[in-house]
Amino acid sequence: MPEITLRDALKRAIKEALESDPSVFMMGEDIGEYGGAYAVTDGLLKKFGPDRIKDTPISEQAFVGAGIGAAVAGLRPIVEFMSISFSLVAFDQIVNMAANLRYMSGGQISVPMVIRAPTGAGVQLGATHSQSFETWLAEVPGMKVVCPSNPYDALGLMRSAIKDNNPVFVAEPALLYGEKGEIPDDDYEIEIGKADVTREGSDITLVSYGYGMRPTNEAADKLTERGVSVEVIDLRSLSPFDIDSIVSSVQKTNRVVLIDNARRNGGVMAEVAADLQQCASEWLDGPVMRVGSVDVPWPYSRSLEQEVLMDADDVLVAVAEGYGL
Amino acid sequence: MISEVTMPSMGADMTEGMIAKWLMAEGDAVSRGDKLAEIETDKTVVEMEAYSEGLLRKIVVSEGILVEVGTVIAFIGDADDEVPEVAETAPAAEASKEETAPQPATAQPALTPTPVQQTAPTSAPTPVASAAAGGRVKASPIARKIAEEKGIDIAAVSGTGPGGRITKSDVEKFTPSPAFAASGGRAPAVMDGSDTPLSSMRQAIARVTVKSKTKSPHYYVTHEVNMRPAMTFRAQLNEAIADDGDRVSVNDMVLKAITTALLRYPKWNSTFDGDKLIGHSDINLGVAIALEEGLIVPAVIGIQNMSLIEISRAVRDVGKRARGEGGSLTQAEMTQGTFGSSNLGMFGTDTFAAIIVPPNAGIIAVGTVKEVPVIENGQIVPGKTMNATISADHRVGDGAEAAILMGEFQKTLENPARLML
């Protein structure tokens, strides 16, 4: 199977949709002439023209609102934020409008829209460009939220997101755009709301998603070297999230560490932890451990930023503190 | 406003009590419900709660002194309240002279209230003790679940998890040590000739049993019960109720049979009191439970109103709480038993006699159900029998009366349909 990057996997899904469905179009800042801040849309303007690849002014609230209007009118817009931090100015449109319209109209209106944004810290983009608001959006009813950690999932999830008749937010880990992986040459899709057991084991379950999967896998490798049999689950969808898969795994391993690359407080893993407590408490052989980045504004300084970001060592510490492994 | 704190009555027959330990010091702020002190009675150590608020202004009775119920032991009030002058409380009556000379607090062993706390055995293998003094047993939920399924007392397991937590693998690897199985008789790990200070519970057991054996003239009547019908009945019953999560034990049937016998001969459900027998309107049947620190005999209150399955549930509940799971025992359960039962069947004991728990009139002790050859219609056939021995207080009733009670008990078990009455 050919190897491609996560960036190209996303582009492939978008390109397929543009080719096969004339109602699909894109809007965003610098997505056309410039090819996108992270080059996901590079070359699409040339191929599909300015009617379908629309560069917008710096006006997030306006172009998300325009996307919602287009979706309500029957098109299938894909809207890109240059950074998930910039989604804040459009939250009224995203939360109040996109997520609520189907309910408020008694099902008469649907909003088949994809909102895409790079997310996460780690490359010295400073406090206002390094955040991970997918964890906020995962709390909003009516909004589906996915966050791939590899090219295979990125392609499968983006295909499903574009076909979904509800608004889907695709949070793309900025540090993983160059991540390579093999992709089969068929038109598979990945169901939104299904987690993936990426590694099977019997001693402990590590759950993460998005960029968090990288330190999680590193920690899993180190634990495996020590003879610990590790099960790793990639959540993939933050809303809805697949608690059943996690409970099944915990019933097997009795130990669990939840790993979130975003800030620890109020993250999606807080919900997972609470649900695990409710659904699997009698299967647990210790506390539900949670790892996240430090709850401070993201520092610009490289050394500080690395300090704030969670890493594989933090995972290993949690495994040791919680379960003595 | 200044308010008096008095020695509480922890049971109808409690006349005096001792402060085992003050849990608050003079000057401490007290809220309603705060644990003020541990009170030791003949039977147990109970935590006493504060019923008023303010500052603990003065401790009148110090630790280790036996006083009568109702004696002022402390004052709670505001900072500017005047504390009344109280004569230093003299240790009460003869009991204290004989048994409990006031001791400096430091000479006391660390006390633990019995119902809610257990400590890991001191002879535990290497790892950290699972329960710090004064803490509950630290065990993971799955470890507790497996222990319950296997019938292992979680407190006897040593924890190897972080902070001494008992984990799944600790329970899976656990084998009960003979010292634990003997229950209460924890031998020192090494025979080095050193003294072993007794816990307050051990000391209380010593006082109560000596009091019982010296004041209540015990005699013993043993009956051999044909248990084959009861065992068949139990198997059928358990199959029928399995879906409800219920399971009736041999002991549940024994308790029901004792209750049935006591209902027929209520004299044995009374208390000897000099020139009269004090009758009890409820049967509160004590169930001897061997905890890590020693024996307790909590009562199933009002057992005469319970069906066999209700008794089964009630005993399981009392047993759990005795081990500190899902709450603690109530004062009534700890102090208001009206008759006793004890069962060493699980240890393979054939026959034994128990010591009456004062102020009860008797206690029935049962051994294991064993397979024996029995003669039926002149033929030797396989049978199942269980020996039951009543220890009876001769002041309450004579041997013939105890034998009649035991006959009723036996008849019920041998005709187990009666258990459903």
Side-chain angles (χ1 to χ4, degrees):
Chain A
M1 284 187 289
E3 268 204 341
I4 65 170
T5 60
L6 188 145
R7 170 189 294 111
D8 287 338
L10 292 168
K11 191 201 281 188
R12 184 194 286 189
I14 293 167
K15 207 169 139 199
E16 286 170 0
L18 286 164
E19 281 166 350
S20 64
D21 184 347
S23 65
V24 174
F25 75 103
M26 288 199 70
M27 283 194 293
E29 294 156 1
D30 282 341
I31 63 166
E33 295 287 352
Y34 185 68
Y38 290 88
V40 172
T41 53
D42 192 27
L44 294 183
L45 175 64
K46 200 171 167 193
K47 186 164 170 50
F48 296 100
D51 283 351
R52 301 191 64 197
I53 307 294
K54 289 183 181 297
D55 272 324
T56 66
I58 298 174
S59 56
E60 284 83 3
Q61 170 142 268
F63 68 73
V64 173
I68 294 169
V72 168
L75 299 181
R76 303 186 85 86
I78 301 171
V79 174
E80 176 182 313
F81 287 117
M82 198 176 272
S83 157
I84 201 166
S85 291
F86 303 164
S87 68
L88 291 180
V89 289
F91 248 51
D92 181 54
Q93 289 300 322
I94 299 171
V95 177
N96 260 336
M97 294 297 130
N100 282 334
L101 276 175
R102 177 189 280 268
Y103 169 77
M104 292 197 301
S105 67
Q108 296 178 81
I109 297 174
S110 60
V111 183
M113 176 167 72
V114 172
I115 308 174
R116 300 176 39 241
T119 185
V123 285
Q124 287 190 274
L125 290 175
T128 60
H129 292 61
S130 304
Q131 305 174 93
S132 303
F133 294 125
E134 65 273 13
T135 64
W136 287 12
L137 288 160
E139 181 273 329
V140 177
M143 178 66 61
K144 296 181 183 180
V145 181
V146 299
C147 186
S149 70
N150 58 72
Y152 179 88
D153 288 351
L155 177 54
L157 287 169
M158 184 58 87
R159 282 172 173 158
S160 296
I162 296 170
K163 286 189 182 161
D164 204 294
N165 284 330
N166 297 290
V168 179
F169 199 102
V170 182
E172 304 165 1
L175 290 179
L176 294 183
Y177 278 122
E179 181 90 351
K180 284 187 177 170
E182 289 186 343
I183 291 197
D185 205 13
D186 60 29
D187 49 5
Y188 71 94
E189 290 171 23
I190 292 173
E191 188 183 341
I192 294 172
K194 286 276 180 262
D196 184 23
V197 178
T198 60
R199 181 185 310 218
E200 288 194 16
S202 57
D203 291 337
I204 188 163
T205 304
L206 306 181
V207 186
S208 190
Y209 67 91
Y211 184 76
M213 287 298 291
R214 189 180 275 181
T216 298
N217 284 323
E218 281 172 34
D221 289 342
K222 287 185 180 161
L223 288 165
T224 305
E225 280 169 27
R226 289 195 225 142
V228 178
S229 171
V230 185
E231 181 140 310
V232 178
I233 296 180
D234 184 345
L235 212 50
R236 299 198 293 203
S237 291
L238 310 192
S239 177
F241 65 77
D242 185 1
I243 188 67
D244 293 347
S245 289
I246 304 171
V247 168
S248 300
S249 178
V250 168
Q251 285 176 339
K252 180 169 64 170
T253 63
N254 309 128
R255 305 180 178 99
V256 63
V257 178
L258 309 175
I259 300 137
D260 198 333
N261 177 244
R263 286 192 283 250
R264 189 173 177 283
N265 275 6
V268 106
M269 290 305 173
E271 287 299 315
V272 175
D275 279 9
L276 267 182
Q277 180 59 33
Q278 199 169 321
C279 305
S281 69
E282 64 173 3
W283 292 96
L284 287 166
D285 206 11
V288 175
M289 296 301 289
R290 197 147 64 93
V291 176
S293 292
V294 181
D295 296 304
V296 294
W298 288 102
Y300 173 76
S301 144
R302 175 156 183 80
S303 52
L304 280 179
E305 184 177 44
Q306 291 307 311
E307 190 59 33
V308 165
L309 267 173
M310 52 74 57
D311 57 22
D313 284 345
D314 295 327
V315 178
L316 293 172
V317 166
V319 169
E321 281 182 354
Y323 298 98
L325 292 180
Chain B
M1 198 189 82
I2 201 89
S3 57
E4 294 177 343
V5 181
T6 55
M7 174 60 68
S9 171
M10 308 277 185
D13 62 319
M14 173 174 163
T15 54
E16 54 194 22
M18 186 177 83
I19 312 283
K21 189 178 189 182
W22 280 102
L23 300 174
M24 302 192 107
E26 285 184 0
D28 283 356
V30 180
S31 306
R32 278 174 76 103
D34 281 356
K35 309 278 188 243
L36 267 184
E38 290 171 3
I39 305 290
E40 186 179 335
T41 71
D42 277 355
K43 294 170 181 160
T44 184
V45 178
V46 224
E47 287 178 337
M48 178 179 72
E49 293 183 1
Y51 293 106
S52 47
E53 296 187 333
L55 299 174
L56 180 57
R57 291 298 309 279
K58 185 170 174 61
I59 288 176
V60 181
V61 176
S62 49
E63 292 173 2
I65 298 179
L66 198 65
V67 295
E68 288 174 9
V69 167
T71 306
V72 176
I73 56 176
F75 288 101
I76 291 175
D78 297 331
D80 50 0
D81 284 334
E82 200 169 312
V83 178
E85 285 293 320
V86 177
E88 192 59 35
T89 310
E94 332 93 64
S96 63
K97 286 178 199 137
E98 290 168 15
E99 299 170 13
T100 52
Q103 292 173 353
T106 47
Q108 294 270 347
L111 295 172
T112 44
T114 49
V116 287
Q117 293 169 357
Q118 297 166 49
T119 46
T122 47
S123 58
T126 39
V128 202
S130 307
R136 68 191 280 275
V137 174
K138 279 205 284 184
S140 76
I142 186 94
R144 283 183 191 278
K145 186 181 170 203
I146 295 171
E148 198 181 320
E149 283 166 5
K150 291 188 167 182
I152 293 172
D153 179 354
I154 193 87
V157 182
S158 302
T160 61
R165 188 198 317 134
I166 298 165
T167 61
K168 181 184 170 190
S169 74
D170 293 332
V171 177
E172 285 172 343
K173 288 178 194 155
F174 176 79
T175 39
S177 67
F180 175 71
S183 187
R186 270 150 309 289
V190 188
M191 280 191 279
D192 59 359
S194 64
D195 294 347
T196 307
L198 292 184
S199 67
S200 61
M201 182 169 186
R202 221 39 270 162
Q203 294 177 37
I205 291 170
R207 275 198 304 278
V208 173
T209 50
V210 167
K211 180 176 163 193
S212 174
K213 276 291 233 180
T214 51
K215 288 191 175 165
S216 316
H218 287 51
Y219 65 91
Y220 312 98
V221 176
T222 300
H223 278 221
E224 186 183 73
V225 183
N226 172 14
M227 287 297 280
R228 213 165 57 170
M231 297 310 275
T232 307
F233 167 79
R234 174 173 169 258
Q236 289 171 349
L237 180 62
N238 279 340
E239 199 171 314
I241 61 178
D243 288 347
D244 304 328
D246 284 311
R247 194 163 181 282
V248 168
S249 68
V250 172
N251 201 54
D252 297 334
M253 296 193 293
V254 166
L255 298 182
K256 181 68 181 177
I258 294 175
T259 307
T260 306
L262 288 173
L263 280 173
R264 186 96 190 256
Y265 302 104
K267 182 182 196 181
W268 290 107
N269 193 51
S270 70
T271 293
F272 178 81
D273 185 34
D275 56 355
K276 61 180 181 294
L277 292 181
I278 300 170
H280 303 297
S281 51
D282 274 327
I283 300 174
N284 301 334
L285 187 52
V287 181
I289 296 177
L291 291 182
E292 191 57 21
E293 322 87 303
L295 173 78
I296 59 167
V297 192
V300 179
I301 304 289
I303 197 168
Q304 79 278 6
N305 298 321
M306 296 181 187
S307 70
L308 179 58
I309 289 167
E310 284 165 345
I311 289 174
S312 174
R313 291 175 189 155
V315 171
R316 206 176 312 142
D317 172 48
V318 165
K320 274 190 184 172
R321 283 184 287 115
R323 293 180 168 83
E325 295 160 20
S328 53
L329 294 167
T330 65
Q331 256 179 42
E333 287 166 339
M334 286 306 297
T335 59
Q336 289 175 10
T338 60
F339 195 86
S341 76
S342 186
N343 185 342
L344 292 182
M346 64 291 262
F347 299 106
T349 302
D350 181 57
T351 308
F352 75 108
I355 293 177
I356 297 168
V357 181
N360 297 174
I363 183 167
I364 291 178
V366 299
T368 193
V369 176
K370 57 186 185 293
E371 302 207 29
V372 291
V374 298
I375 299 174
E376 268 180 25
N377 306 323
Q379 297 289 313
I380 298 177
V381 296
K384 289 181 177 174
T385 63
M386 177 186 77
N387 286 333
T389 302
I390 185 171
S391 306
D393 184 338
H394 218 312
R395 298 172 303 176
V396 176
D398 302 333
E401 292 171 280
I404 289 169
L405 181 80
M406 290 305 285
E408 183 71 16
F409 168 79
Q410 179 179 354
K411 195 165 78 181
T412 303
L413 283 175
E414 291 182 350
N415 301 280
R418 291 166 56 105
L419 293 170
M420 301 309 274
L421 294 178

